Amino acid sequence: MKFTLGNQYLDGAVSLLRRMPLAGYQSMARSRFIRIFKEPVQALVDARQDLISEYSVLDDNGKPVIEGDHYKLRPDATAEYNEAYTKLMNEDAEIDKATYTDHKKDIQDVLKSCKLELSGDEATIYAALCDALDVFEEKEGK
């Protein structure tokens, strides 16, 4: 299965998929689909950590300093960090992972039959997933 999804949606997509009440075959298809996200999510975590290491104040051991619940950015690097972080989050993750023959169709069906009430970020993530997987596009000739 090959598709692209914005980095900003990766974590939320996994959370949303896990929240969907599914059983049987649909649950299995969802579990396999979630596994596809493992590498892109880890790549994003690593990239975020690289940015933090590059722009943060470091302690004597070379580790980023945490103040409260945030990393302490170097005063001269805050704007650069914000720009780099925004650029990273606006990039698309290219996901190309072999699964099984009808997996994309199965996930399209899962998304079409979603019964969750969605709003805010979850609604945006759902729409991004549907767009990435062509869920509501009509096939020509039908």
Side-chain angles (χ1 to χ4, degrees):
M1 183 180 315
K2 184 176 184 176
F3 62 99
T4 59
L5 185 66
N7 281 342
Q8 62 192 347
Y9 304 121
L10 290 176
D11 291 330
V14 171
S15 296
L16 174 62
L17 289 163
R18 285 188 174 136
R19 248 179 33 86
M20 289 182 180
L22 301 171
Y25 190 80
Q26 282 193 328
S27 179
M28 182 205 60
R30 177 209 24 220
S31 294
R32 288 180 172 180
F33 188 62
I34 287 171
R35 280 188 223 121
I36 291 173
F37 284 87
K38 184 178 180 179
E39 288 177 22
V41 166
Q42 187 59 52
L44 181 58
V45 167
D46 293 344
R48 284 183 199 153
Q49 193 57 48
D50 289 345
L51 286 177
I52 289 166
S53 294
E54 182 177 346
Y55 294 106
S56 291
V57 173
L58 304 177
D59 65 16
D60 294 337
N61 297 319
K63 302 283 184 196
V65 172
I66 299 174
E67 282 187 346
D69 59 351
H70 297 309
Y71 290 99
K72 183 177 180 181
L73 297 177
R74 292 188 331 268
D76 65 321
T78 303
E80 282 182 66
Y81 169 81
N82 289 334
E83 184 179 325
Y85 182 81
T86 299
K87 185 175 179 180
L88 173 66
M89 296 309 288
N90 286 325
E91 289 177 352
D92 287 334
E94 293 181 359
I95 301 169
D96 188 4
K97 191 84 167 169
T99 57
Y100 60 91
T101 308
D102 290 324
H103 197 191
K104 183 175 180 179
K105 182 188 173 309
D106 292 340
I107 295 302
Q108 288 171 329
D109 291 343
V110 164
L111 291 169
K112 281 180 187 175
S113 65
C114 178
K115 301 293 185 224
L116 295 173
E117 290 187 24
L118 304 172
S119 62
D121 289 343
E122 274 194 330
T124 302
I125 291 164
Y126 175 79
L129 268 174
C130 289
D131 287 346
L133 295 167
D134 306 319
V135 170
F136 295 109
E137 286 188 18
E138 295 293 322
K139 300 287 182 193
E140 287 186 33
K142 286 194 175 181

